[in-house]
Structure formats: C-alpha cells, structure tokens
C-alpha cells in the first residue's frame, strides 16, 4: 500500500486545435491525495478544471495530448501505459470520471440497466440477465437509489435522479478515485443536496476511496471536500485545507474569488460582492510570469518579469505568488497597497528565475476574448 | 460562414459527389462543341451498334497501300457466323473422318474451322439425314470457297458508252489496305444509334442537361413552396398552421405520384413541354420539405433569441427571415439536393408511363428510356440505347446523395 | 497600510406600484392532462424594486415570467400596469408594452442569434430606441458606453459573433442591451445559472447598478435563495405554481414562516453554518415523468 492513493507530479497536457495551435490547458499541476481524502477544485470557467480531470485518467485522445509529468495511482504509474491496457484495467476500477454534461449525454432510447451492462462488458465481466439484475439491484440499494430506475429510460428521470444514476453507474466497479466534474451545477439546490449526499455516502461506505470534486461554487466545495485547490489559467494558485482556503486565502486571486461568495446569511446584503475585473489570459500563449498579473490589484514590478514557482507556506499550503507569506496573510482583497514608496518596501522573498525559453513573448496584456 | 464552406469542401463525400456532378455538367456543355448537328438528328438506321462508321465509297476512293498481311483467314473468319462454324463442326463429327476438331470452339476459332472444312470437305461422303440437310453443307462449302477464290474485287461504274455497260474503276486486291484517316466521311458513334438512328451519345449528353434542368426547376419550386409553407405554418401557428398542415397532410396522404400522374394526364400532351413537366413535379414534391421545415421551425420558435426579437417588437416577417431562416437553411440546402435528384427520377418514371414531356426536339433521360423501351431495345440486344441512360440516372442520384451525406456530416457532426 | 473599499449596497424606500398581477393562472394542456403551471398568483411590483421569485425547477417561474412578458397567454386572471388592465390586443399595443419591458434569459447560448454579429445585437437596440437614423459615430458612442457599463470593451467585440464570448460575457452583453433600451421592467430569468461564480458576482452587481441608475424594476428569478437574498428587496417563494411565502428579503430569509422556505434555506450550502445533509424531508421519490418546459 502506497502512502498516497494519488500522486500527480508537474502534469502538463494540451489541446491541439483544428488549426494546429496548442492550448496549454493544464500547465504544471502537482498534488498528492491520501486514502479517504477529498480534493475540491474551484476556478473560473475555462481555467482548465475539466481538462485536468480528463488528464488525470491517463487516457488521452485527440484533441487532448499528454506533454509531461506523471500520475501515480496507488503506487502504479499510469502515464505511459498502453491506452488499451489502461482502458481495461484502470478506467472505472482505479479511477472513474463523471463528465460535466454526462447526464444529458445518455441516449434517450436505452434503459438504465443497459448502461450498467455496458460498463461490465467493457471490463470483460459478462453476466446473464438474472445475475446482472441482481447485481445492479444490490448496488442501487447500497447507494439508496430506488431499483425502479433500472427499467426507466433517461428521459423519464428528473435531472437530479438522472445525475445520481450516472454517479451510480460510474462508481459501479468501486474505483479508488472518483472524479466528479460539476455534477450539480445544472440542478436546483434541492436536487444538488441529494447528489452531494450520495457522493459523500460513497466515500463513507468505502465504495470509493478518494474523490476529486470540481465546481465553481465555493460554499458547496467548502461543505464537500477536505482540501480545496484554486485553479487559474491551467495552474493551481492555491491549495490547502478547505477552511483555510476559504477564510484565509493566500493568493490574491483566491482572495478575490472568496469575495464573490454568496450565502443566505445576515450581513451578505449590506456589502457589494467582489468582482475581479478583466479576463483570464489566453491559454494559447500564457504569459511566462505570474498569470494573474494582468488582473492583480497587488501587482509588483517584478511580477511581470520572473517565473512564479509553487511556494509553500509554513503550514504546508501551496500558493503561487511572489509576495511574502506574511504579507499575504495580512492582506485583504479590499485592501490596497498604498503608495509607491511602500511598494518598494514589500520585499519579495523569492529566488528570481529567469524565463525558461523565449517561445512566448511573455506579454501579459494579451487577453483572451472568451 | 466561410469556415462552414471550407469544411464542406474538405468533406470527401461531398467533394466526390460534387465533382461527379460538375463533370457531368461540363460534359453537357463541352461535348456538344465537338459534335455536328443537333442531338436529335436521325443520322443512322435502327439501333446501329457503337463504333466508328466510315463511308464505303470513301474507302474505295482513298489511296491504297498493298501490304503483306495475311488476311484470308481473318476475312473468312469474319464472314462465317457462329452457327455456320457449328455446322462445319457438325459435319466433321458426322463424317467420322479422322480430323482433330474436338478442340475447336465454334464461337472463337472461325479461321481454323473454315480452313479445316475447306481442306476436308468431300461432297461424296453421304451423311445420314434428309437431302435438304445434306444440301445445307454443300451450300456452306460453296459459300466459303467463293469467298476464298475471290482474289479481288472489281469496282465498276455504269457507263453506257462501254460495251458491257460498265466501266472498271478500280480493282481491290485482297491485301490492299486503306488508312481510315484518308476516308473523309466518317462518324464515330460512341454509343451507337437508337431506334430512330439518332446518335445516342449526343442525345444522352443533351438529355443529361435537360434532366438536370428538370431537377433544378422542380427542386427549386418544391423547396420554395415547402420552405414558405413550413416557415409560415410553424412560426405563425394557430388556424394558419392548422389549415396549412391540413393541406400538407392531404398531399402526403394521397401518394404524390398519383397526383403527378393525374396532373400530367390532364395537361394536354401538346402543351407538356419539359418546363411544364418540371413545374408539375415541383408542385407535387413540396409536402415533405414543408413538414420537416415546420417541425424545425416549431423548436426554433421556442428559442430565447426568437423571444428576444419578439420582445423587441419586430414583425413576423423580419423574425422569420433573420432569426429562423438562417437556422433551417443548412437543412434546406440538403433537402433541395434531394428534391433535385428525386425530381429527375420522377421525370424518368413519368416518361416511362408516357406522361413525360411530349417533345421531339429535346431529349430527357426519361424520354430516352421510354423510347428505347417502346422500340424494344432490350429485346434487340441494343444495350447501348438504354444502359448508358440508366447509368447516368444512377450516377446523378448517387452524386447527389453523396453530396447530401457530406453536408449532413458537416452540419450535424454529432451523427458520426 | 490598508483601506477598505468594499462598497455598501444601497437600499431604498419603495411606494409606487408599477405592475400588479391578480389571480393569474396558466394552464397547459386540456382535460385530464391539464397542468396548472402557474396557479392563482397575486403580486405587486413597485418602481425601482428588485423582486426575486425563488423556486425549484418546474415550479412555474419561467411560465410566470413569460406571461408577464406577453410571450404566452394568461389563462385566468389579469395583469395591471399602473392600475390599468394591460392593453395587449393589437400589434401596436404589444409594441408599446414591450417598449417598457425586457428580459434576460437563462441560457446565454440560446439567447443570441448565432448568425448576427454583436454589433447587430446592439444596433437593433438603438433602432428600437428610435435612433435608427443617427450617424454611425454616435451609435458607436452609445454602444461603447453600454459596453463599458458592463465592463466590456466595445472595440474588442465588433465584428465578433456572440458565441465567441464566454457565458459570463454573453450575459453581460445582454445587460448592455438592457442598458441601451432602458425598459421600466426587466425580467431576469435565472441569468446566472449558467455562468461561473466569478462572473455571477459581476452580473448581480450590474443588476443592482441598473436599478440604481435607471430606476428600473427588476424581477430576478432564481433557484438559489442566497442570490435572491443578496440582490432583492422583496422575495416570493414559489412552489408548484403558487406563492407559498412572500415578504421583504429580511423577513423571508431571516424569519422564514413556511416549511418550504426553511427547506430551501437548509438546502443551500453555507460557509458559516454546518450544512445539514441528514435531514430527510426532501422527497425521495421524484420520478418526474418526462417533463416539458425548460429547467
Ligand atoms: N476540445 C478542445 N480543443 C481545444 N481547446 C479546448 C478544448 N476543450 C477545452 N479547451 C480549452 O481549454 C481550456 C480549459 O477548458 P476546460 O473545459 O478544462 O475548462 P473548465 O475549467 O472545466 O471550465 P468550465 O467551468 O466552463 O467547465 C479553455 O481555454 C478551453 O477553451
Ligand atoms: N410550453 C409548455 N407546454 C407544456 N407544459 C409546460 C410548458 N412550459 C412549461 N411547462 C410545465 O409547466 C411547469 C412549470 O415550468 P417552468 O415555468 O418552466 O418552471 P421553472 O422555470 O420554475 O423551472 C412544469 O411542470 C413544466 O413541465
Ligand atoms: S505574483 Fe504579483 S501579480 Fe501575481 S498574484 Fe502575486 S502579487 Fe499578484
Ligand atoms: Mg468544465
Ligand atoms: Mg425556468
């Protein structure tokens, strides 16, 4: 048994578009996950959350391509394995992925039980009709879903029920790691609650060992996962325990994001939300310096000229910012670093790393249109 | 839009179909430039087979080149029919002479058979059978012997001043040759001639053009009507929709071919020109375009961009033109192509029933088929009069369907 | 070294009734299949008020919105504008009504005609304002102003198609449209449900700004009671076509009376209180048979 159930080291993947351009959608992501731990990934639309999720499966097909880095699931390095072997022996059993729009991708003319059979057949498990039904019913009872859904067509199920069914099918083979990509974003709050309940139940019952949960709803993430990562333009800019990430974020972007949280509690009405102006950089040519620089309120002169490495705070939290940890801990998003003189006083405690190559022009001013 | 067009032309299916169509079109425009006369000139006689026809007198007039090429057996072979060769073999068998004939094929080895026959035939051998039967062999022997003995032909013209009343013009030796190029009067019939002796190839080329025109006219009419009715009935709804749907359904329930036949029948045959027939086909083919456009319009109507336009107070026509039409257009293009190809088929079917365009000045694919059937081309073995026509129809439908599949792949990429 | 600039949200007094719904119902279908999507609702929207209508999917929010917008007929009851029954018979009357009422819809991807460029979308609005014959330079000025109102740069949008924008940008462009049209009433049907939390904050603040600057009445439809609390003055809670609770935001959120409201509140994850996942008051059985309409 390895120390970590999932270990990702400096993973880089890219899309190759129809016009042969590279989109560096995951660009140097590292993290480790112990058994029973859950990781939440938050971030703006287009920052690469879904791409990261797909990349974690180690199974790449165009337009997504692997560039570098490693993925180790429970001691087994899956990067570089033969895709066909991987599909048979890892997908669904080691790691399972519930795509963003999975519930709307079900073919309306096939009954749910057919999908269950498909999953089994894909892993060379062949059961006769009776065994299949028994096994499916047992599984559904385990996850508290009514067995009637087996004989329903997808269109006959409400959104929430459909999503829970999709989760049940995806976790059928008890994968070690379950990746859920925005499973509840298309649902209303009540259905969302049922979906979350089911996911947490899967972990409690040991049906999945670890979960990665993707959403842009921070309050939801806060309630679902133990750790939260904030992603920006293909990189993690903040990774730490859920409570610290939400209440004491270090990275300026994370600070801004936390200011956009809306919960129905007293006081929320009185102050305007924080809206970070500007748009994320174009991932076709991401800047080599701090990717957030173009939108950052606290930008320092050096921010535009050096590579920002992953840094670790005293308590082990990850952040990707040049400002010293102490300064970041004090800083609130509403604050302003006041005068130019004081600017100079903010000492950047980081080794200056020059840009690696000069393929990109490192121009942060270039923003993507959408 | 540009991008759409580019991907469309990158699609293999579409490209192949489109190329076939363009080649056919080019053929209809370019080929007539190299041909004499009009496509329906009756130049030949009933069902001349394909080939290069040269004028016989021209051959005599042309310069001759004696050559040492063995021609007797070839001539003999060509002069003897398969039946006659078989008859000779029969003689060999019945005569019970010691002749190696069993290896010979009456369909191929004419020259050898004739040679053997000439060498071995003996009138004195009495074969069993009636005397008429035996006389048959004697006649055959004389015929081939005559052919062989003629060492040349003498060509004469009538000449009253001469004693015999003829004057010799030239002698043709058996080994005389003429360069075909030296014969000025020639005609190449790639596909022979039809029942009226018309050059089938020339006719076909112009028929393809005319049939495409029928398709284009009928397809345009059907698509325009279908589009208008579908859009109106889908978008306006209410009683307008009910009425239009009723009419559409009526046309669908009664097979359109029946309407087509009745319509064609009721138009007096003298006024049934190609254009009129195209109109008639177009007027009966619109219902299915209308139905599918209507159902698409119904879903589009509920899209929010239409709601936004309605809230902006835009008129019905403006909304239909700017907010609905562009969305159904890709579909309509596909439907249009199918309409063209089915109109071409419909014209062929009508013509076969004798309800096609009644014209003697223009040919269509359907008319060509109909003529060749009336004059029993298949029975006379005149394949050239109908097979190329059938193939052309198939090729046109095939290319259109291919284009359609291609467009479908471009417009609905999820289908793949 | 710090200085707080988190802005206080302005709230205000409201009096003047602008739109009033009386016993409004909408029935889809007929006979045994009849479905009362909206069932006898009453409401009052005042000038400059932000009203939220909160409910689960299928509760009838969109249907009510479409009735108010005049995009679908009202089966029973009536709608009064400034105390007068809405005149909505002739085309001219409809045009007049629609001059004062506009909407933003849920799905930004279906709100735009994919064949029209962004310029066209905004130019249409200027045309609607009756300024069709303005010189182009002035039109550009108006468009630029509207775009900067929603933090977009017009220069970057010209000659682009709406689908080249992100969902959040599309919804903001929709607000820019409203900014040009300046209707008296704006109905925003789940305008933030398809955009990420970051853009959502921007969009909500723009709605607040529209109200403050243009004195617009805004009907904000959502399934997230937290959002409703943040933006609105008054909240209506809708369940199966009926309003089960209504009142000022503070009343409804801080002292909910109906059980349904309480359940909705408990369903929203919070960061200040633990999220109670154990409660089983949620109906487990939800075999909604193929339900039409949008969700
Ligand atoms: N098939 C593709 N080909 C090329 N680029 C792509 C493709 N899919 C996504 N991208 C690009 O990769 C980047 C990351 O996309 P991704 O879908 O991972 O974002 P996301 O964080 O999941 O966003 P959302 O919250 O909207 O789901 C974006 O810039 C996107 O434009
Ligand atoms: N065009 C329609 N035809 C028939 N029923 C509809 C239609 N639109 C909505 N409905 C039904 O009306 C009810 C309310 O739907 P809707 O107003 O869209 O709810 P919401 O916006 O709150 O999700 C649902 O039961 C839905 O199935
Ligand atoms: S590195 Fe500089 S620009 Fe980047 S987030 Fe930190 S302070 Fe802002
Ligand atoms: Mg995603
Ligand atoms: Mg709705």
């Amino acid at each position: 048994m390895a120390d970590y159930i999932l270990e990702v080291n400096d993973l880089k993947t890219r899309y190759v578009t129809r016009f042969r351009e590279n989109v560096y959608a995951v660009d140097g992501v590292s993290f480790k996950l112990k058994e029973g731990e859950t990781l939440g990934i938050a971030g703006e639309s287009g920052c690469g959350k879904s791409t990261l999720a797909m990349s974690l499966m180690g199974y790449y097909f165009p337009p997504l391509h692997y560039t570098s880095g490693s993925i180790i699931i429970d001691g087994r390095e899956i990067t570089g394995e033969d895709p066909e072997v991987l599909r048979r022996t890892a997908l669904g059993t080691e790691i399972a992925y519930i795509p963003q729009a999975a519930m709307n991708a079900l073919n309306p003319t096939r009954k749910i039980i057919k999908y269950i059979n498909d999953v089994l057949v894909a892993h060379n498990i062949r059961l006769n009709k009776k065994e299949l039904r028994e096994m499916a019913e047992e599984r559904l009872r385990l996850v508290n879903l009514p067995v009637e859904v087996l004989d329903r067509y997808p269109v006959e199920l409400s959104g929430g029920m459909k999503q829970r069914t999709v989760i049940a099918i995806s976790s059928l083979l008890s994968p070690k790691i379950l990746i859920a990509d925005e499973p509840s974003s298309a649902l209303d709050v009540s259905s969302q609650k049922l979906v979350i309940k089911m996911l947490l139940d899967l972990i409690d019952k040991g049906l999945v060992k670890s979960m990665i949960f993707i959403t842009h709803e921070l309050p939801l993430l806060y309630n679902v996962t133990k750790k939260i990562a904030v992603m920006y333009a293909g990189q993690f800019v903040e990774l730490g325990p859920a409570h610290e990430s939400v209440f004491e974020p270090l990275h300026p972007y994370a600070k801004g994001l936390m200011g956009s949280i809306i919960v129905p509690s007293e006081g929320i009405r009185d102050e305007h939300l924080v809206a970070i102006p500007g748009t994320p950089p174009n991932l076709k040519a991401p800047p080599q310096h701090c990717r957030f620089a173009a939108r950052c309120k606290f930008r320092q002169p050096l921010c535009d000229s050096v590579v920002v490495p992953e840094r670790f705070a005293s308590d082990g939290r990850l952040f990707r910012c040049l400002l010293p940890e102490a300064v970041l801990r004090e800083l609130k998003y509403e604050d302003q670093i006041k005068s130019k003189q004081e600017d100079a006083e903010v000492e950047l405690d980081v080794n200056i790393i020059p840009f690696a190559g000069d393929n990109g022009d490192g121009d942060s001013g270039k923003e993507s249109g959408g | 839009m540009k991008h759409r067009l580019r991907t469309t032309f990158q699609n293999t299916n579409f490209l192949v179909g489109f190329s076939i169509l363009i080649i056919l079109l080019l053929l209809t425009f370019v080929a007539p430039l190299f041909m004499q006369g009009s496509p329906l000139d009756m130049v030949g006689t009933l069902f001349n087979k394909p080939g290069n026809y040269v004028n016989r007198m021209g051959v005599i007039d042309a310069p001759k080149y004696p050559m040492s090429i063995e021609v007797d057996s070839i001539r003999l072979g060509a002069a003897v029919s398969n039946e006659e060769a078989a008859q000779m073999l029969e003689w060999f068998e019945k005569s019970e002479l010691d002749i190696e004939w069993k290896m010979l094929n009456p369909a191929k080895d004419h020259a050898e058979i004739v040679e053997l026959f000439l060498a071995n035939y003996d009138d004195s051998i009495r074969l069993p059978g009636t005397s008429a039967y035996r006389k048959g062999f004697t006649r055959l022997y004389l015929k081939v012997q005559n052919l062989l003995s003629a060492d040349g032909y003498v060509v004469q013209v009538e000449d009253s001043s001469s004693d015999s009343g003829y004057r010799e013009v030239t002698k043709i030796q058996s080994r005389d040759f003429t360069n075909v190029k030296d014969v000025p009067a020639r005609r190449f019939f790639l596909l022979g001639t039809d029942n009226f002796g018309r050059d089938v190839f020339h006719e076909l080329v112009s028929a393809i053009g005319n049939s495409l025109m029928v398709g284009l006219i009928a397809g345009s009419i059907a698509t325009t009507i279908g589009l208008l009715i579908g859009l109106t009935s889908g978008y306006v709804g209410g009683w307008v929709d009910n009425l239009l749907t009723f009419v559409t359904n009526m046309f669908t329930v009664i097979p359109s071919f029946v309407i087509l036949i009745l319509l064609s029948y009721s138009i007096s045959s003298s006024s049934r020109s190609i254009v009129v027939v195209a109109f008639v086909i177009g007027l009966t083919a619109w219902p299915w375009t209308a139905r599918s456009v209507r159902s698409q319009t119904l879903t589009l109507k509920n899209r929010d961009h239409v709601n936004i336009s309605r809230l902006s107070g835009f008129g019905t026509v403006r909304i239909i033109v700017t907010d609905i039409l562009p969305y159904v257009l890709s579909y309509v293009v596909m439907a249009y192509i199918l309409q063209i190809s089915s109109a071409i088929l419909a014209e062929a079917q009508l013509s076969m029933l004798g309800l096609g365009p009644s014209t003697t000045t223009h040919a269509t694919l359907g008319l060509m088929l109909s003529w060749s059937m009336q004059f029993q081309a298949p029975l006379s073995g005149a394949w050239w009069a109908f097979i190329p026509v059938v193939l052309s129809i198939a090729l046109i439908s095939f290319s259109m369907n291919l284009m359609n599949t291609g467009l479908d792949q471009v417009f609905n990429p999820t289908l793949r | 070294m710090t200085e707080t600039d988190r802005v206080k949200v302005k709230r205000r007094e409201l009096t003047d009734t602008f739109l009033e719904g009386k016993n409004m119902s909408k029935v889809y279908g007929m006979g045994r299949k009849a479905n009362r999507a909206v069932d006898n609702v009453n409401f009052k929207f005042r000038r400059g008020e932000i009203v939220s209508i909160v409910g689960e999917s299928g509760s009838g929010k969109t249907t009510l919105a479409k009735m108010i917008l005049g995009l679908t007929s009202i089966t029973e009851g009536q709608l009064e504008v400034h105390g007068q029954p809405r005149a909505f018979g002739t085309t001219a009357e409809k045009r007049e009504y629609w001059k004062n009422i506009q909407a933003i819809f849920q799905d930004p991807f279906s709100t735009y005609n994919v064949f029209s460029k962004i310029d066209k979308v905004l130019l249409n609005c200027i045309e609607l304002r009756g300024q069709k014959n303005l010189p182009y330079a002035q039109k550009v000025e108006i468009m630029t102003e509207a775009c900067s109102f929603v933090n977009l740069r017009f220069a970057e949008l010209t000659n682009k198609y709406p689908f080249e924008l992100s969902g959040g940008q599309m919804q903001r462009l929709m607000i820019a449209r409203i900014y040009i049209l300046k209707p008296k009433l704006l109905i925003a049907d789940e305008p933030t449900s398809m955009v990420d939390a970051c853009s959502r904050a921007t969009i909500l603040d723009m709605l607040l700004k529209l109200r403050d600057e243009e004195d617009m009445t805004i009907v904000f439809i959502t399934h997230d009671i937290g959002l409703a609390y943040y933006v609105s003055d008054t909240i209506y809670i809708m369940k199966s076509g009926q309003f089960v609770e209504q009142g000022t935001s503070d009343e409804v959120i801080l002292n909910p009376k109906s059980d349904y409201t309480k359940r909705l509140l408990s369903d929203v994850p919070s960061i200040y209180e633990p999220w109670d996942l154990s409660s089983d008051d949620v109906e487990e059985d939800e075999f909604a048979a193929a339900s039409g309409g949008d969700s």
Side-chain angles (χ1 to χ4, degrees), chain A residues 65-359:
Chain A
H65 294 266
Y66 167 79
T67 311
S68 64
S70 67
I71 302 163
I72 302 162
I73 300 176
D74 207 7
R76 166 180 172 191
E77 164 136 21
I78 61 164
T79 35
E81 274 195 38
D82 177 54
E84 195 44 35
V85 174
L86 203 62
R87 189 186 64 73
R88 260 188 295 108
T89 63
L91 298 192
T93 50
E94 301 275 329
I95 189 161
Y97 169 57
I98 308 169
Q100 195 160 358
M103 71 182 212
N104 295 325
L106 295 180
N107 179 345
T109 60
R110 303 190 74 212
K111 286 184 180 169
I112 298 299
I113 193 155
K114 283 248 190 310
Y115 287 96
I116 294 185
N117 192 34
D118 287 352
V119 172
L120 296 175
V121 169
H123 289 86
N124 287 327
I125 305 171
R126 284 172 208 283
L127 302 177
N128 64 31
K129 272 211 171 128
K130 195 156 151 277
E131 287 168 340
L132 175 70
R133 183 162 293 275
E134 273 171 14
M135 124 52 91
E137 285 186 0
E138 190 189 321
R139 188 67 188 205
L140 288 191
R141 269 189 220 106
L142 206 58
V143 297
N144 290 327
L145 270 182
V147 293
E148 288 92 327
V149 298
L150 285 179
D151 294 309
R152 302 279 174 145
Y153 293 97
V155 284
E156 295 177 308
L157 302 175
S158 70
M161 188 62 90
K162 221 180 337 186
Q163 187 61 274
R164 281 187 286 155
T165 311
V166 167
I167 294 171
I169 296 174
S170 307
S171 62
L172 196 66
L173 301 168
S174 306
K176 290 180 181 142
I177 300 153
L178 181 67
I179 307 175
D181 190 359
E182 310 221 9
S184 62
S185 296
L187 306 175
D188 64 39
V189 283
S190 312
S191 316
Q192 160 170 302
K193 190 167 173 177
L194 291 173
V195 167
I196 300 301
K197 221 158 116 179
M198 172 166 179
L199 283 172
L200 293 179
D201 219 34
L202 285 176
I203 297 187
D204 284 346
K205 291 193 174 142
L207 296 177
V208 303
K209 297 212 167 97
S210 189
M211 180 170 74
I212 295 177
F213 189 92
I214 297 175
T215 180
H216 55 81
E217 296 278 351
L218 280 158
L220 179 62
L221 216 50
Y222 176 77
N223 282 286
V224 174
T225 60
K226 302 261 170 1
K227 281 173 150 187
I228 290 182
V230 176
M231 198 166 179
Y232 186 77
Q235 299 176 331
F236 281 179
V237 293
E238 170 112 21
L239 171 58
H243 189 271
E244 277 87 338
S245 289
V246 170
F247 288 97
E248 303 151 15
L250 290 175
H251 192 278
Y253 175 67
K255 286 178 198 291
L257 212 52
M258 304 312 154
S260 67
I261 292 180
I262 306 173
V263 288
S265 324
E266 214 172 337
I268 196 84
R269 270 166 66 72
D270 301 335
E271 286 180 337
H272 271 287
L273 298 169
V274 170
I276 308 168
T279 46
N282 189 340
L283 290 179
K284 281 177 194 154
Q288 297 213 353
H289 54 264
C290 174
R291 296 190 171 188
F292 186 54
R295 301 167 76 185
C296 183
K297 278 179 75 174
F298 312 121
R299 183 165 87 193
Q300 303 294 312
L302 208 51
C303 298
D304 284 338
S305 47
V306 297
V307 174
V308 187
E310 287 188 337
R311 300 174 61 201
F312 294 91
S314 48
D315 51 1
R317 293 163 61 191
L318 176 153
F319 66 102
R320 233 186 233 269
C321 176
L322 290 177
L323 294 179
E325 184 191 339
V327 174
L328 285 175
R329 279 195 190 276
E330 289 304 309
L331 213 54
K332 295 226 162 26
Y333 193 80
E334 301 82 56
D335 297 345
Q336 287 184 341
I337 298 181
K338 267 200 223 145
S339 66
K340 278 280 172 239
Q341 280 90 344
E342 276 171 276
D343 263 3
E345 279 168 30
V346 181
E347 215 173 280
L348 304 178
D349 58 347
V350 74
N351 302 330
I352 294 176
I353 307 168
F355 293 159
D358 36 47
N359 45 339

Side-chain angles (χ1 to χ4, degrees), chain B residues 216-226 275 278-283 286 336:
Chain B
L216 225 58
I217 294 177
S220 307
I221 292 171
T223 309
T224 314
I225 299 180
V275 177
F279 263 83
V280 169
I281 294 173
L283 286 177
W286 58 267
Y336 183 43

Side-chain angles (χ1 to χ4, degrees), chain B residues 9-295:
Chain B
F9 278 95
Q10 277 166 358
N11 183 289
T12 346
N13 279 335
F14 180 84
L15 209 60
V16 172
F18 190 71
S19 312
I20 296 178
L21 202 67
I22 289 295
I23 291 172
L24 282 177
L25 269 177
L26 272 182
L27 194 69
T28 61
F29 284 113
V30 174
L33 300 181
F34 297 97
M35 293 195 271
Q36 312 112 343
S38 95
L40 295 188
D41 284 345
M42 303 185 196
V43 287
T45 42
L46 182 74
F47 296 135
N48 298 132
K49 48 180 185 198
N52 201 353
Y53 286 72
V54 296
N55 179 256
R56 283 194 168 203
M57 281 180 75
V59 171
I60 293 167
D61 293 340
K64 60 181 173 189
Y65 306 99
M67 294 188 178
S68 52
I69 296 174
E70 162 58 38
V71 291
D72 286 352
S73 59
I74 300 176
R75 270 179 61 226
L76 279 176
V80 171
S81 69
N82 287 352
E83 289 77 36
E84 286 167 335
Q87 206 182 350
M88 292 177 194
L89 290 181
E90 194 181 326
W91 188 85
F92 295 148
E93 189 188 353
K94 297 270 169 66
S95 66
E96 291 171 350
L97 289 175
D98 182 22
I99 303 169
E100 285 286 326
W101 60 272
K102 291 215 165 88
M103 308 294 292
L104 297 173
N105 182 345
K108 270 196 257 157
D109 312 325
H110 289 188
E112 286 95 328
I113 297 174
V114 172
E115 222 168 299
L116 265 182
F117 188 68
L118 280 174
N120 293 297
Y121 183 76
D122 188 350
D123 212 16
S124 58
I125 298 175
R126 269 187 67 94
L127 296 190
T130 62
S131 73
Y133 176 70
R134 263 176 274 125
K135 280 220 178 89
F137 292 109
T138 317
R139 237 182 286 120
L140 189 59
Y141 177 71
L142 290 176
K143 177 184 171 188
V144 287
Q145 215 187 19
N146 273 339
L147 274 175
L148 195 65
S149 64
D151 189 33
Y153 295 138
V154 174
V155 181
Q156 294 179 321
V157 291
E158 278 178 55
D159 183 0
S160 51
S161 65
S162 151
D163 295 345
S164 59
Y166 294 100
R167 177 169 57 80
E168 181 181 321
V169 176
T170 183
K171 238 194 194 110
I172 303 175
Q173 245 69 48
S174 74
R175 295 195 177 183
D176 280 350
F177 280 76
T178 292
N179 188 335
V180 175
K181 292 232 168 86
D182 292 340
V183 183
R186 298 174 267 149
R187 181 96 179 232
F188 181 62
F189 292 104
L190 182 62
L191 296 172
T193 68
D194 71 356
N195 50 295
F196 295 127
R198 301 177 293 205
D199 180 352
V200 173
F201 180 69
H202 199 173
E203 205 181 346
L204 184 69
V205 165
S206 92
I208 289 177
N210 287 334
S211 278
L212 282 176
M213 191 178 77
V214 170
L216 225 58
I217 294 177
S220 307
I221 292 171
T223 309
T224 314
I225 299 180
L227 188 61
L228 284 180
I229 292 195
L231 284 174
T232 318
S233 123
Y235 185 76
V236 177
W239 66 266
V240 177
D241 183 27
N242 289 341
L243 181 75
L244 291 178
T245 313
F246 177 74
V247 174
T248 314
N249 283 344
M250 233 167 57
F251 268 87
T252 336
V253 171
I254 308 169
S256 63
F257 205 68
V258 173
I259 307 178
L260 197 55
I261 291 172
L262 292 178
L263 259 179
S264 312
Y265 198 73
S266 62
I267 298 172
S268 73
S269 67
S270 57
S271 57
R272 264 197 338 247
S273 68
I274 292 184
V275 177
V276 169
V277 169
F279 263 83
V280 169
I281 294 173
L283 286 177
T284 55
W286 58 267
W288 62 264
T289 302
R291 280 162 70 101
S292 28
V293 168
R294 174 178 172 270
S295 71

Side-chain angles (χ1 to χ4, degrees), chain A residues 45 156 158 164 188 190 193 197 216-217 223 247 262 265 268-273 334-336 369, chain C residues 1-2 5-7 9 11 56-57 169 196-197 200 205 229-230 232 263 267 270 276-277 286 288:
Chain A
S45 180
E156 295 177 308
S158 70
R164 281 187 286 155
D188 64 39
S190 312
K193 190 167 173 177
K197 221 158 116 179
H216 55 81
E217 296 278 351
N223 282 286
F247 288 97
I262 306 173
S265 324
I268 196 84
R269 270 166 66 72
D270 301 335
E271 286 180 337
H272 271 287
L273 298 169
E334 301 82 56
D335 297 345
Q336 287 184 341
Chain C
M1 73 178 243
T2 66
D5 66 349
R6 195 152 176 174
V7 193
V9 174
R11 304 287 167 187
E56 291 179 314
S57 78
Q169 287 175 322
D196 67 71
R200 184 171 66 198
D205 270 356
Y229 184 49
Y230 173 70
S232 53
R263 202 196 95 200
D267 284 348
S270 162
D276 184 15
L277 277 171
E286 37 165 323

Side-chain angles (χ1 to χ4, degrees), chain C residues 149-204:
Chain C
F149 178 80
V150 293
N151 284 342
L152 293 172
R153 261 161 294 182
F154 178 69
E156 285 175 12
L157 302 180
T158 49
N159 261 325
K160 275 198 176 176
Y161 286 95
F163 54 82
E164 295 176 89
L165 304 183
S166 72
Q169 287 175 322
M170 281 196 231
Q171 290 297 53
R172 265 147 62 192
L173 187 67
M174 221 50 213
I175 297 180
R177 216 184 140 258
I178 303 299
Y179 180 80
I180 297 181
L181 290 172
K182 302 202 193 322
K184 296 211 174 70
L185 178 76
L186 167 64
I187 296 192
D189 186 1
E190 308 209 28
T192 60
S193 74
M194 311 274 272
V195 301
D196 67 71
C198 209
S199 313
R200 184 171 66 198
T202 323
I203 290 169
L204 293 181

